[in-house]
Amino acid sequence: SVRKTEISPLFILNSSVMLWFPDKLLVVTVATKETDGYRRFLRTAKHFNYTVKVLGRDQKWKGGDYMSAPGGGQKVRLLKEGLKEMKDDGQIILFIDSYDVVFASGPKELLKKFQQTKHRVVFSSETLIWPDRHLEDKYPHVREGNRFLGSGGFIGYLPNIKELIANWTGDDGDSDQLFFTKVYTDQSKRVRLKSINITLDNKCRLFQNLHGALDDVVLKFEDSQVRLRNVLYDTLPVIVHGNGPTKLQINYLGNYIPNTWTFESGCTVCHEDLRSLTALQENEYPLVVIGIFIQQPTPFVTVFFERLLKLQHPKNKIKLFIFNKEAHHQRQVRSFLKDYGSLYENVTVIEPEEEMDGACVFFFSDLCRRDQDCDYFFSLDIEVVLKNKDTLKILIEQNLPIVAPMITRAGRLWSNFWGALSGDGYYARSEDYVDIVQGRRVGVWNVPYVSNVYLVKGSLLRRELKDYELFSSSDPDMAFCHNIRNKGIFMYVTNMHTFGRILSTENYQTGHLHNDLWQIFENPVDWEERYIHENYTRIMKDKLIENPCPDVYWFPVFSTVACNHMIEEMEHYGKWSGGGNADNRITGGYENVPTIDIHMIQINFEKEWQKFLVEYVVPITEKMFPGYYTKAHFELAFVVRYKPDEQPSLRPHHDASTFTVNIALNQVDLDYQGGGCRFLRYDCSIQAPRKGWALLHPGRLTHYHEGLPTTAGVRYIAVSFVDP
């Protein structure tokens, strides 16, 4: 038979198995304002169908900052007032914090575990005593489990909780934890309030307070749900509370619990509450203030502005602010603004001579704050390589207060976010950091630190982030994130898409005309994109290697930009040889077949050139000449200039090499007339070398050759004698 008892709301099945009515459970919490933590709490409550009553909405919080000092009395007052009108003696009340709490399981499990305690009121427990350590001796000793009371969560029958707080007369700033501790530890009160029948959840079966217990808990992934497991007591708490200084840890756990991210489904909430831009007309797009920060000499700045131009957002809905601290980059900034500045709604530039410290980030964000039409502030460092032209659209559609696209450094585990913090507030590696960076876990992640590129809602700047000190520090990103964390605002990083990477600015020298040419070691991916021919990677697959003469191979290797930069760099250096036999640049000081040239070593480019040969020429050599292996040693690598009135051609000769690489740096008919190379043994000529294409041929014995006359213009080639 099934019947309802007078004392408690439960089913009696076969007189032995008891299951609670979940609708008899009411979750009560205090939230004076809607925070990110509060919204997370409600999401987990909704996931498990908890009924929640919120007290204190839109009231001023007077309960103190009990992160550092006792407080929270306002919660007890609001609870006392909120329970006055409740009359159902069978009602079960769960009173918990909300800003730093997540549910890990549903009402049935919670009520079952509460019933099994056989007490009328159950408080969460802690390993540490707070706020009065002198009360330690008054606590009952326990054989196993946590000994001390935590006031951030308790559950009990309505009449018993009413009786528990009936004598509360404290101020809003008084300690709620001290009040409940004294009720629990004071023997006279316990006798007088015996009917309350209080106990602690010593083994964390209902509540898990994280402070003092971080080493005791692990995530448990099972059956498309994520639980927190207390390994010390082998329990699965229903409620997880990031009490005290464990706010970052509850944020980390909230990335998974209860089903935010699972191995089976991936991210289950990443497509919720999005702001779609798809159906908007151009004039309906949000206005974005983009702050670009040039703080040090940085490679590939011209490429940065090319990508900025491709960013998919109406230009008339972008206000551009450029803070340039480096005189070295004034030329690139001015060139970009001259050509494209008029496309934007507004452009402001702060030049190197204008004094401004790290507060420049605040200055730019404040422009958004003071502009009621500004919907977003997009902070973007010059060293960020945004490969994804939809980055801004993706971030806006996430509809989050602060969100960063994950970018990484090529070949390394470095990224623009931290998964955890050390005790002194610096980088620490979270358990999931490597999986996120390497893309084994994909989602939108609540993290304690973002840098280099991130989007901030304008409404957040106007409402929550009004302090000038927000960015004031020698490290503005550190200061910004520290203040954001202190305000309880969540920061996110998304790796749902591939966005790009960040450049290394270490060892970037500015003494050349085209300094990016020297970046093959520090930023090899970007160097390749800039300087290697777009078809190079298709050489083998699409059979792009041509064979114009016996054992002569022709293939694309240099981009147009690479060719132009090599020519311009050599002309900028300007110290061309005289074309005579005497040459103190080479061993022995005598050149048998001289050319007018500049050696790579003269511009300190020999290491970079050998790296280029090893990475991009050696693989082709080993394919075309099977069984021959090389490390691309060379004694001579140089750029030759042919001009009709200077040196138009080169007489027949053998090269002092095992094989020679000859790259055409400019275009026949466009830059010069004539030219080419003739192999005498085979009576085979290549008279129209393609710009950026390399000729690869043996140097000694078989491939006696000559340089054909250049009849007009100027011809440039880059030559390497490999394995002399």
Side-chain angles (χ1 to χ4, degrees):
S1 62
V2 179
R3 63 185 178 187
K4 189 175 179 183
T5 69
E6 295 294 327
I7 300 174
S8 59
L10 50 88
F11 283 121
I12 301 178
L13 303 177
N14 299 326
S15 302
S16 59
V17 181
M18 299 182 181
L19 294 174
W20 297 94
F21 279 126
D23 59 357
K24 284 295 185 179
L25 174 67
L26 178 65
V27 179
V28 180
T29 191
V30 171
T32 55
K33 65 177 182 178
E34 288 193 15
T35 66
D36 294 330
Y38 170 76
R39 285 183 281 271
R40 175 183 60 195
F41 166 81
L42 288 184
R43 181 178 59 78
T44 64
K46 181 181 178 182
H47 177 74
F48 291 112
N49 294 317
Y50 283 98
T51 302
V52 180
K53 181 179 179 64
V54 182
L55 307 176
R57 291 285 296 272
D58 300 323
Q59 294 186 23
K60 183 178 180 180
W61 175 250
K62 301 177 182 178
D65 175 18
Y66 50 96
M67 278 281 292
S68 55
Q74 185 175 357
K75 294 193 299 182
V76 186
R77 174 178 64 79
L78 290 171
L79 178 62
K80 185 176 179 180
E81 294 170 358
L83 298 184
K84 278 182 182 178
E85 305 303 318
M86 296 186 190
K87 304 299 183 184
D88 185 354
D89 288 350
Q91 185 87 60
I92 308 278
I93 300 297
L94 170 64
F95 187 63
I96 50 174
D97 291 347
S98 58
Y99 296 161
D100 50 8
V101 168
V102 295
F103 286 103
S105 188
K108 288 185 178 180
E109 181 179 337
L110 178 69
L111 291 172
K112 180 181 179 182
K113 289 180 174 179
F114 171 53
Q115 172 214 337
Q116 289 170 346
T117 67
K118 299 180 181 179
H119 284 75
R120 308 292 291 179
V121 177
V122 179
F123 273 83
S124 68
S125 66
E126 299 192 37
T127 61
L128 305 171
I129 187 169
W130 169 267
D132 188 350
R133 300 173 70 179
H134 298 95
L135 294 176
E136 180 175 354
D137 291 340
K138 293 190 176 184
Y139 267 94
H141 287 275
V142 294
R143 183 176 300 175
E144 185 181 14
N146 298 331
R147 186 179 168 198
F148 306 114
L149 177 145
S151 65
F154 57 88
I155 186 172
Y157 290 101
L158 176 63
N160 304 98
I161 290 180
K162 279 185 175 181
E163 185 179 0
L164 175 68
I165 60 178
N167 294 326
W168 169 265
T169 57
D171 294 331
D172 284 354
D174 289 346
S175 172
D176 61 332
Q177 179 125 331
L178 184 60
F179 170 74
F180 291 124
T181 296
K182 287 183 175 179
V183 172
Y184 180 67
T185 59
D186 190 319
Q187 289 297 322
S188 62
K189 287 185 178 180
R190 291 189 75 179
V191 171
R192 183 161 49 85
L193 299 174
K194 189 174 181 180
S195 61
I196 298 178
N197 194 13
I198 302 177
T199 191
L200 303 186
D201 178 31
N202 303 100
K203 295 184 180 180
C204 306
R205 299 180 73 246
L206 290 82
F207 305 95
Q208 176 67 65
N209 289 311
L210 294 178
H211 187 34
L214 291 175
D215 293 335
D216 301 337
V217 296
V218 295
L219 285 171
K220 180 176 183 287
F221 295 86
E222 190 174 90
D223 299 330
S224 299
Q225 187 172 334
V226 187
R227 296 291 297 265
L228 191 72
R229 178 171 174 250
N230 187 307
V231 295
L232 189 61
Y233 305 121
D234 195 21
T235 54
L236 297 173
V238 176
I239 296 157
V240 185
H241 181 198
N243 59 319
T246 62
K247 302 298 181 264
L248 300 186
Q249 286 76 18
I250 190 65
N251 289 350
Y252 169 79
L253 296 172
N255 284 329
Y256 296 96
I257 299 171
N259 74 328
T260 309
W261 189 95
T262 68
F263 284 105
E264 294 84 356
S265 304
C267 182
T268 64
V269 300
C270 290
H271 300 288
E272 295 179 1
D273 302 321
L274 298 182
R275 175 184 181 177
S276 176
L277 302 180
T278 304
L280 297 183
Q281 299 295 318
E282 187 171 295
N283 63 351
E284 296 175 320
Y285 268 69
L287 179 66
V288 181
V289 170
I290 300 181
I292 296 169
F293 301 94
I294 308 174
Q295 305 274 22
Q296 68 277 317
T298 304
F300 304 107
V301 167
T302 300
V303 183
F304 171 90
F305 284 114
E306 290 171 2
R307 291 197 175 105
L308 178 69
L309 196 63
K310 295 175 183 176
L311 209 56
Q312 293 299 294
H313 197 86
K315 301 292 186 291
N316 62 352
K317 287 293 185 176
I318 293 176
K319 291 186 176 181
L320 208 55
F321 294 88
I322 302 174
F323 171 73
N324 180 21
K325 195 176 177 182
E326 283 297 326
H328 173 71
H329 291 308
Q330 278 184 298
R331 177 172 56 87
Q332 291 108 318
V333 172
R334 290 171 179 173
S335 175
F336 170 75
L337 294 180
K338 178 184 175 183
D339 294 338
Y340 306 108
S342 61
L343 300 177
Y344 294 91
E345 170 72 14
N346 181 271
V347 176
T348 301
V349 180
I350 295 178
E351 300 278 16
E353 57 270 15
E354 300 179 55
E355 292 294 326
M356 184 171 285
D357 56 17
C360 61
V361 189
F362 169 80
F363 174 78
F364 286 166
S365 64
D366 195 48
L367 292 170
C368 179
R369 180 186 290 112
R370 290 186 282 108
D371 184 349
Q372 293 298 317
D373 294 327
C374 176
D375 297 293
Y376 295 95
F377 171 63
F378 188 46
S379 180
L380 181 60
D381 289 350
I382 197 72
E383 58 265 35
V384 172
V385 179
L386 277 187
K387 294 277 290 177
N388 191 330
K389 63 183 181 180
D390 293 319
T391 295
L392 194 53
K393 176 178 181 289
I394 291 166
L395 297 182
I396 291 172
E397 290 190 330
Q398 282 297 326
N399 198 26
L400 294 168
I402 301 171
V403 59
M406 189 189 78
I407 55 174
T408 59
R409 185 161 289 161
R412 296 173 59 182
L413 287 174
W414 188 97
S415 73
N416 65 321
F417 79 96
W418 296 349
L421 296 182
S422 63
D424 55 0
Y426 289 91
Y427 171 81
R429 181 172 291 183
S430 61
E431 291 182 13
D432 57 2
Y433 177 82
V434 174
D435 282 348
I436 293 173
V437 169
Q438 295 183 341
R440 289 192 293 270
R441 299 187 188 186
V442 175
V444 180
W445 311 94
N446 185 338
V447 295
Y449 175 85
V450 296
S451 64
N452 300 106
V453 52
Y454 50 84
L455 185 75
V456 184
K457 279 189 175 181
S459 58
L460 185 70
L461 289 168
R462 289 185 284 274
R463 188 179 65 249
E464 300 287 343
L465 307 179
K466 300 178 181 178
D467 304 329
Y468 182 86
E469 294 79 13
L470 198 63
F471 293 96
S472 61
S473 168
S474 58
D475 188 332
D477 286 336
M478 284 286 291
F480 172 70
C481 294
H482 173 77
N483 287 308
I484 291 297
R485 293 193 301 268
N486 285 349
K487 291 176 179 292
I489 298 168
F490 290 171
M491 292 171 280
Y492 297 87
V493 66
T494 172
N495 66 341
M496 295 282 287
H497 302 80
T498 299
F499 294 100
R501 55 187 175 269
I502 190 163
L503 296 168
S504 169
T505 58
E506 300 167 13
N507 306 316
Y508 184 61
Q509 304 299 316
T510 58
H512 303 282
L513 178 64
H514 294 296
N515 300 283
D516 296 347
L517 279 169
W518 278 257
Q519 287 295 298
I520 191 170
F521 290 104
E522 291 293 338
N523 293 289
V525 175
D526 298 87
W527 192 93
E528 178 176 309
E529 287 185 357
R530 186 67 163 162
Y531 292 126
I532 295 302
H533 197 285
E534 62 182 356
N535 292 332
Y536 177 83
T537 56
R538 297 170 42 225
I539 283 177
M540 297 302 178
K541 182 179 127 182
D542 294 347
K543 299 180 179 179
L544 297 181
I545 298 179
E546 298 182 18
N547 187 204
C549 300
D551 284 331
V552 176
Y553 299 98
W554 202 13
F555 58 92
V557 66
F558 261 174
S559 68
T560 297
V561 173
C563 295
N564 295 344
H565 283 191
M566 285 298 299
I567 293 171
E568 291 165 11
E569 193 66 45
M570 292 304 182
E571 290 291 0
H572 177 72
Y573 178 73
K575 297 179 181 179
W576 296 94
S577 66
N581 296 109
D583 192 341
N584 59 13
R585 299 172 302 170
I586 62 176
T587 304
Y590 183 84
E591 172 57 65
N592 188 42
V593 187
T595 54
I596 292 177
D597 55 46
I598 295 174
H599 290 187
M600 299 299 181
I601 196 170
Q602 290 179 261
I603 62 169
N604 298 315
F605 196 61
E606 71 278 11
K607 292 180 181 178
E608 289 76 10
W609 189 255
Q610 186 183 29
K611 176 71 170 174
F612 157 70
L613 293 176
V614 168
E615 294 293 330
Y616 301 101
V617 175
V618 166
I620 307 300
T621 306
E622 294 177 353
K623 276 284 187 183
M624 296 300 102
F625 298 100
Y628 180 76
Y629 302 100
T630 176
K631 294 184 179 178
H633 293 302
F634 65 86
E635 286 187 8
L636 287 179
F638 48 93
V639 171
V640 180
R641 183 174 72 184
Y642 290 114
K643 295 170 67 175
D645 58 351
E646 190 176 66
Q647 181 184 9
S649 61
L650 191 62
R651 67 179 176 83
H653 62 282
H654 284 295
D655 291 338
S657 67
T658 300
F659 69 90
T660 296
V661 182
N662 179 331
I663 305 172
L665 297 180
N666 56 349
Q667 187 64 49
V668 67
D669 295 333
L670 181 65
D671 302 308
Y672 64 91
Q673 299 291 324
C677 180
R678 176 173 174 258
F679 295 94
L680 279 70
R681 179 185 179 94
Y682 308 105
D683 191 22
C684 181
S685 298
I686 302 166
Q687 295 182 319
R690 299 166 192 159
K691 184 175 182 178
W693 282 56
L695 280 177
L696 176 68
H697 62 82
R700 293 188 180 89
L701 193 59
T702 58
H703 282 63
Y704 192 59
H705 61 284
E706 64 180 332
L708 299 175
T710 297
T711 58
V714 185
R715 178 187 177 214
Y716 297 90
I717 58 173
V719 180
S720 303
F721 294 163
V722 183
D723 294 345

